[in-house]
Amino acid sequence: MTSEFSHPGEHAARAALGAVRAEVAKAVVGQDAAVAGILIALLCRGHILLEGVPGVAKTLLVRTLANTLAVDTKRVQFTPDLMPGDITGSLVFDAATSEFTFREGPVFTNLLLADEINRTPPKTQASLLEAMEERQVSIDGRPRPLPKPFLVAATQNPVEYEGTYPLPEAQLDRFLLKVVLPVPPRDDEINILARHAAGFDPRNLSAAGLSAVASAADIEVGADAVRRVAVAPAVLAYIVDIARATRISPSLSLGVSPRGATALLSTSRAWAWLNGRDYVTPDDVKALAQSTLAHRLSLRAEAELEGVSVAAVLESAIGSVPVPR
């Protein structure tokens, strides 16, 4: 059902963003959940964390999606010696004018790929906090606004904890979504090998025939439309009750905060809009609950020792809340 009050350009924007998913499939097999997650983050003006073992196409996915959007994109490989100024930019002395001029860092872009964000020390990780939350960078006391749209797509590997710096809870909370990229099923893996055997080169995406099918304007139109998606009082209460259920779970030391509940509201609205509806259903909430909330939860030590997973605890909390009719 589509609202009769849809604004001009909304249908075109939805179609363009829908076409992104088909375009990405030319280079990346499967991983549709991660593509949808990045689109939802763009529509909600949020950020996304992609986690997976090495080799499941995290970086390729973001590079491919950037190629399908007519937006500026930059990539930063996070390393232990990376400094905050390497991301935000810094003041550089100009001998010709005897003045300091600001040289923009890679954060001044529309889509920033923060590759292996947990390989850099906390001080450098924290340099992204202001940019992610305030959409600006302060250098020498002067705030400098970032372009619109602005999205940080960060990747991290879950297995290589030697020489890594796990993101603290406060920074994890800044990510609207966290999507875990699984190892592909057998049929998809055969498809991947068949593409490589036929000459696909992940380092040369232009040869894959990718084209930009959506623009920054489509994202802005979509973002405005998402904020008009209706949410019934019963669905609002459902989101709050899920958040409150995590706070009383005996397995969790940290439940979902009001910011987490607000994030679930935003992502549910975006998912409803992408699926052509102008209202949110409880199924939308359930579909986005894991990727929006799981990374905001912390297990108690005894639950970890028992081998309990955050995903299972969250699923149990969601199951304990009556679904509105």
Side-chain angles (χ1 to χ4, degrees):
M1 170 179 164
T2 306
S3 171
E4 59 187 291
F5 302 110
S6 291
H7 288 227
E10 185 177 325
H11 297 297
R14 186 190 287 115
L17 292 171
V20 165
R21 295 162 84 168
E23 199 69 14
V24 169
K26 291 180 181 178
V28 181
V29 176
Q31 311 298 16
D32 192 55
V35 177
I38 296 173
L39 291 177
I40 288 169
L42 281 166
L43 289 168
C44 296
R45 300 189 170 107
H47 309 283
I48 187 167
L49 181 62
L50 303 171
E51 183 178 279
V53 297
V56 292
K58 299 184 295 295
T59 304
L60 176 64
L61 173 69
V62 179
R63 286 176 53 231
T64 303
L65 192 130
N67 273 270
T68 68
L69 299 171
V71 296
D72 185 43
T73 180
K74 289 180 182 152
R75 176 180 179 271
V76 177
Q77 178 65 53
F78 280 66
T79 56
D81 60 349
L82 197 72
M83 299 296 289
D86 296 331
I87 299 170
T88 59
S90 54
L91 293 172
V92 178
F93 184 72
D94 187 340
T97 61
S98 298
E99 291 181 350
F100 283 95
T101 56
F102 179 64
R103 183 175 294 167
E104 292 184 349
V107 77
F108 286 87
T109 187
N110 297 124
L111 198 164
L112 177 68
L113 170 54
D115 228 346
E116 297 187 296
I117 193 171
N118 58 338
R119 286 203 171 281
T120 203
K123 182 178 180 181
T124 306
Q125 291 174 357
S127 68
L128 271 177
L129 280 177
E130 183 189 12
M132 291 169 68
E133 192 68 20
E134 308 293 337
R135 297 296 199 275
Q136 67 178 29
V137 168
S138 294
I139 303 289
D140 199 29
R142 180 184 158 194
R144 301 170 193 271
L146 295 172
K148 292 181 181 180
F150 173 68
L151 169 89
V152 174
T155 72
Q156 67 174 13
N157 298 330
V159 292
E160 294 182 64
Y161 287 124
E162 282 295 319
T164 62
Y165 305 84
L167 292 171
E169 285 82 2
Q171 188 148 0
L172 278 173
D173 201 43
R174 292 295 196 281
F175 286 99
L176 181 73
L177 295 155
K178 176 183 171 184
V179 177
V180 177
L181 277 70
V183 173
R186 182 175 181 270
D187 288 349
D188 281 353
E189 200 163 356
I190 291 171
N191 192 354
I192 291 168
L193 264 64
R195 288 189 181 192
H196 280 258
F200 172 70
D201 182 0
R203 297 172 191 83
N204 183 15
L205 288 177
S206 57
L210 294 171
S211 57
V213 293
S215 66
D218 292 320
I219 295 165
E220 284 300 304
V221 169
D224 289 340
V226 163
R227 287 201 295 274
R228 294 192 299 271
V229 171
V231 190
V235 176
L236 285 176
Y238 182 54
I239 292 170
V240 169
D241 289 344
I242 288 173
R244 295 178 74 85
T246 66
R247 296 173 202 157
I248 60 172
S249 170
S251 299
L252 297 175
S253 60
L254 182 67
V256 173
S257 68
R259 177 172 27 206
T262 304
L264 182 54
L265 168 64
S266 298
T267 57
S268 301
R269 277 175 141 177
W271 184 238
W273 182 81
L274 280 171
N275 283 288
R277 282 180 282 105
D278 62 353
Y279 59 93
V280 175
T281 69
D283 284 341
D284 295 325
V285 176
K286 284 196 273 191
L288 271 298
Q290 284 286 350
S291 55
T292 308
L293 302 181
H295 62 290
R296 304 170 196 269
L297 304 174
S298 289
L299 288 171
R300 293 188 187 278
E302 51 269 33
E304 282 192 69
L305 288 171
E306 290 168 9
V308 176
S309 71
V310 166
V313 174
L314 178 55
E315 202 58 47
S316 174
I318 295 167
S320 72
V321 178
V323 179
R325 302 203 174 275

